[in-house]
Structures are given as structure tokens and as C-alpha cells.
Amino acid sequence: MDFMETKIRKIDKNQIEQKIIEEAGEVLREGGLVAFPTETVYGLGADALQEEAARKTYEAKGRPSDNPLIVHIADYEDLKKIAVNIPAETDILAAHFWPGPLTMIFEKSDVVPYGTTGGLDTVAVRMPVDPVAQALIRAAGGFVSAPSANTSGRPSPTTAQHVEEDLAGKIDMIIDGGTVDIGLESTILDMTVTPPMILRPGAVTAEMFEEVIGPVSIDETLLGDESEKAPKAPGMKYRHYAPKAKLMIVEGDLREEILAIRQLTYAAHRENRKVGVIATNETLPFYNYGIVKNIGTRENEKTIAHGLYRVLREFDEEDVEEIYSESFAAQGIGKAIMNRLEKAAGHLRIPASVIIAKQKYRTVTFVSRTDSARGPMAAEMLRQYDLKQEYVINSRGIIVLFPEPANQKAEAIMKSAQMTLENHISRQFDEDNIQDDTLVLAIEESQKEKLLSEYGENGNIYTLNEFIEDDTEIPDPYGKPLAAYGECYEILSGLVAKLADKLDSLAEEEK
Ligand code: AMP
Ligand code: MG
């Protein structure tokens, strides 16, 4: 294909410059290609009634030509010119959802070339709400085919820059109207069957249709992932929206998903593998490793729909090998989100529970009398190890009347070993420290007994000596000169080394 100069024209939706619209309309009437914003994603516009324009569309996108295009109209009366046998419910559906992110499929009239419909006798029609799109459609003569303006197989474009990345040099013009509103392609509803059938989920949901015309059906190939049947919308069979990295959806309840992704990213970090995480506003702070991207907020799933393709494109710029994604609710627009995410993942899913079952302890809590010397020293020593699994390592005291910094002699000894307790503040042990995945290690037997009498046998409570099966006594340096702290340090450091080995050997067994 020859390289052509792609004109880029910025346009303000609230103050549309008619000259640009006329220029673009003329390009379309002459059979050229113009990318333009719609509320769903950017579309690659062509005159839907010219067979040759459809051919160019397929060529520019690298799209298989059996994958039909959606014809965009701006005025409802125009539907009758391209569709025949339009069922009665169409009026009420249009009244509710047009203009908007809904595509309806009808029997086509003779004016629509087979090039546009991918050889089918049906035509897909949508009336977009975006004012730039509407003005352009009218300027082009009323019928503009517009698949997503991306290279086939890449995430759909939600900004003009995305279009430029994929199609600069291959199309005549890009109208830059800023970021789109929804960010996922339209819902496709097949009106040639009774009741109408959803072929592709989108922002207009099954629940919304039901309120207007009663229950609709859903193409069963959308529901199962292993379906052998071809989907009814030809485009749904292609592995769309594929990021370069292997994308995997981690499934469980949100807490399990976070734990599993933490484990997966920690393992990747240790093996020097670059990986990515698709996280949300709410979960972002939980991830310490990998390239973590915020897709939106769980409080408003529309933001997640809007962020999905942007995040997938951003990951294509990072050379990550694998991307782990949290999953999202499968109701409302969540259905459309999961449908696109699963396609991008090629239906690769990981059950979170299977991953998290591989790690018994996630937190190690050292317990000493006042949490000011031996406990915090042991915790800081353990933090120095590059352990096979990730642990939250902390310390608590049996009697902590008020929060205090670490003992000064303990700090002096740690400093001489290139460590520090300067961020340590002593804290009282409480019931929150008793968890299935928390290993509680008391410095002295009496402290263990105290915890057992208070919290019973539920927790994983041991003395450090007992857990590593080494009975070297840990001396109490309290009130003694600095040398006593030094001696205590030496002993603790030997025991913590054994603890690190023990934790790593547990990690091996659990694999
Ligand atoms: P896009 O424009 O990239 O959102 O893709 C349009 C999609 O609409 C195609 O991939 C098809 O899956 C679907 N579609 C278009 N026309 C028809 C039709 N006549 N019958 C069924 N599905 C259609
Ligand atoms: Mg597309």
C-alpha cells in the first residue's frame, strides 16, 4: 500500500468548525478514509454506499474482509433507505437508545454493497450521539461505515493519538475531537430474530433492553469461553484487542485476587521477569512489584470501561512479558468489560485460590516484651533476606504502654551492622495479629505462653527457637551495657539466618 499524507484536524465538540467538517465530508464523498471521534471509540469512516471505499477500509486496517462494517447514520429516517423488513420494536428501541452506543442489525436494502456487509444480506446500523460524528455523517451524504480506527488485532482507539499510532500514512484524515466518552464498542443487537439477540455486549445492557421491549436473548457463544460454535457477529470470532504481552485474568474475590497478584509479581521480580498489573484506584497501594497501571475506580465501572484500551495500549509500550489483571463485576457494563478483557486475554484465566494456596504464611510477627529491642532487631534482620516468597515482617510487644522509638543501644548495634531501627515505633500485640496466614514468633517462652493463654491455639504461635528447632538461648540485654546488646545481636542473627532458610524451604514444599 502506498504511503499517503494523513491530515490531522483538531476540532472542539462544543464549537464545531464547519470548514473542517466540509473538508472531511468531501474526502468521504470522493471515496477516501477519515477517522473521527464517536462516543464509543474512534471510527474509521468511509462512504458506506461505495464498494471501493469499503475495500480501502479493510486494507488500511488489515482487517479480514468477511468482517462486516457498521453503517452510521445521523437521521432516523435514513434507516429505511438501507434496511428492509424493519421490525416494529425498532421505533421504541431507537427512541430510547438512539443516538447512542447501540448497533442494530436488519435485512439490508439493495443500495448497501456487499463490500460493506462482508457479503451478508444484513446490515448493522448505528446512530452515534457525538456531535462531530453526526455533522460528518451528514456532510458525507448520510451513510458512513466506521469500524474502529485501529489496526486489526490492536486495542480499539480511544484517542486520536491511538489512531495516529496505527493508521498514520494509510488514511486521508484524522479528526481529533479529544478522548471518547465510553471507551468500548457499541452493543450489537440482532433485530432479524425474535426476540432480538445481543451479539456483542456494550454500554446498553440486557437489563436496559428488557425494560423497554422485554427479555432479549444473548448469543450463547458470548457466555462460555470454550464454545466451539462460531459467534453470530463475524467480528467476535477474531482474537481482537490482543496486547503484545500474555494477559491473564486472575479470578476470585477481590482480596484473593490481590494476594495472588502480589505473589505472582513477587515471583516474577525474583526471577527478573518484567510483568504488569491491571489494578484499580482502590487496589493500587497493595502492589509493590511489577509495572502497575490504574484502569479506573471500582466505585464507577464506567471509568474502567473507559480505561481498558488505554491501559492495554500503554502496556504495549512497556516490554512486559505477562500482564495480570484483576477481574470485574459481570453485571451492567461490567459484562462488556469482561467480554473485551477475556478476548484480549485469549480467555486465559488463573483462579486466585490456587495461587494463594501455595503460600502458607504472608506475615511474620516477632513478639518481645516491650517491642523495643530484640523483636524489632529480628524483624529488621529478616527483612535483609531475599526470600523466595514475599512477607510482611513486623514486631509487636506484650506490654506497650505507649508508642516509643527503639532502644538506643539496640539501634547503635544495628547501625554498626549497616541496618537501622530509626523508623521503628513500638506497638502492642492485639487480636489483629492472629491470622491464618500470620506466623507469630515469640522471643521468649513466657511470651508465647502469654499469647497462648490470651488467644488460644488458633494462631500460628511459636517461639523463634521452637520454630527453627534450635535452642540457643536469646539473652535479654535490657539494662546491660552495649556489649550485651552486641552479644544478643550475634545470637539473633544466627537464628534469623536459620529462620530465613526454614521459610524458604517451606516455600519450596508448597510449590
Ligand atoms: P467494529 O466496527 O470494529 O466495531 O466491528 C463491527 C462488528 O459488527 C463486526 O466485527 C461484526 O462482528 C458486527 N457486525 C457488523 N455487521 C454485522 C452483520 N450484518 N451481522 C452480524 N454482525 C455484524
Ligand atoms: Mg474493531
Side-chain angles (χ1 to χ4, degrees), residues 108-410:
K108 82 175 191 68
S109 77
D110 292 338
V111 301
V112 185
Y114 282 108
T116 297
T117 65
L120 298 174
D121 289 317
T122 51
V123 61
V125 187
R126 180 164 104 80
M127 192 187 332
V129 74
D130 187 293
V132 175
Q134 290 188 356
L136 179 63
I137 292 163
R138 290 192 184 109
F143 304 95
V144 174
S145 60
S148 48
N150 54 316
T151 299
S152 196
R154 293 216 66 204
S156 293
T158 55
T159 67
Q161 288 68 42
H162 295 164
V163 179
E164 216 184 319
E165 283 167 25
D166 286 8
L167 299 179
K170 298 179 177 172
I171 63 177
D172 298 282
M173 193 168 163
I174 298 172
I175 298 182
D176 179 353
T179 305
V180 301
D181 193 25
I182 296 171
L184 295 180
E185 303 84 347
S186 57
T187 304
I188 299 180
L189 188 66
D190 185 354
M191 299 300 291
T192 68
V193 294
T194 315
M197 181 187 281
I198 295 178
L199 306 188
R200 175 172 80 184
V204 180
T205 63
E207 295 84 350
M208 291 160 77
F209 288 130
E210 178 151 6
E211 280 180 23
V212 177
I213 54 165
V216 296
S217 60
I218 296 178
D219 182 0
E220 60 182 287
T221 64
L222 293 176
L223 306 172
D225 44 79
E226 261 85 49
S227 180
E228 295 289 300
K229 282 196 198 148
K232 297 212 159 54
M236 299 297 276
K237 73 172 178 253
Y238 296 104
R239 184 176 175 230
H240 261 193
Y241 330 120
K244 289 180 191 151
K246 182 169 157 193
L247 170 64
M248 285 169 272
I249 303 172
V250 179
E251 287 185 325
D253 65 41
L254 186 56
R255 184 185 153 274
E256 292 175 329
E257 288 172 14
I258 293 168
L259 291 176
I261 293 174
R262 282 181 60 128
Q263 239 172 279
L264 292 164
T265 50
Y266 183 78
H269 163 77
R270 288 195 86 246
E271 293 158 15
N272 271 318
R273 286 185 292 116
K274 245 180 120 180
V275 296
V277 178
I278 297 181
T280 51
N281 242 354
E282 290 76 13
T283 58
L284 224 46
F286 295 105
Y287 302 114
N288 303 322
Y289 299 98
I291 295 174
V292 184
K293 296 202 187 277
N294 185 353
I295 186 173
T297 168
R298 287 180 174 274
E299 279 175 12
N300 179 0
E301 293 231 306
K302 283 186 182 160
T303 63
I304 295 174
H306 192 260
L308 177 62
Y309 290 139
R310 169 186 54 81
V311 163
L312 291 179
R313 276 184 181 259
E314 283 174 12
F315 270 125
D316 279 351
E317 304 294 306
E318 313 269 0
D319 66 283
V320 293
E321 294 173 21
E322 288 181 351
I323 305 167
Y324 310 117
S325 177
E326 296 173 2
S327 33
F328 305 99
Q331 279 105 47
I333 196 164
K335 256 211 178 76
I337 297 170
M338 287 310 288
N339 168 262
R340 307 306 195 279
L341 195 59
E342 281 177 9
K343 283 172 67 103
H347 300 288
L348 263 176
R349 302 169 187 193
I350 309 180
S353 57
V354 171
I355 302 295
I356 64 182
K358 292 180 181 168
Q359 182 166 357
K360 182 164 165 63
Y361 300 120
R362 292 170 198 283
T363 301
V364 180
T365 302
F366 291 95
V367 178
S368 61
R369 196 166 51 87
T370 60
D371 191 29
S372 62
R374 289 180 294 176
M377 284 165 83
E380 190 56 26
M381 289 175 195
L382 185 61
R383 288 188 195 110
Q384 309 305 308
Y385 287 87
D386 175 28
L387 297 169
K388 288 187 181 146
Q389 291 178 327
E390 187 185 19
Y391 301 90
V392 173
I393 300 167
N394 55 29
S395 64
R396 293 289 186 270
I398 297 284
I399 21 162
V400 179
L401 299 180
F402 42 88
E404 270 188 298
N407 176 292
Q408 286 182 10
K409 289 175 190 164

Side-chain angles (χ1 to χ4, degrees), residues 5 22 31 103 182 239 279 339 452:
E5 173 139 17
E22 274 158 27
T103 295
I182 296 171
R239 184 176 175 230
N339 168 262
L452 286 178

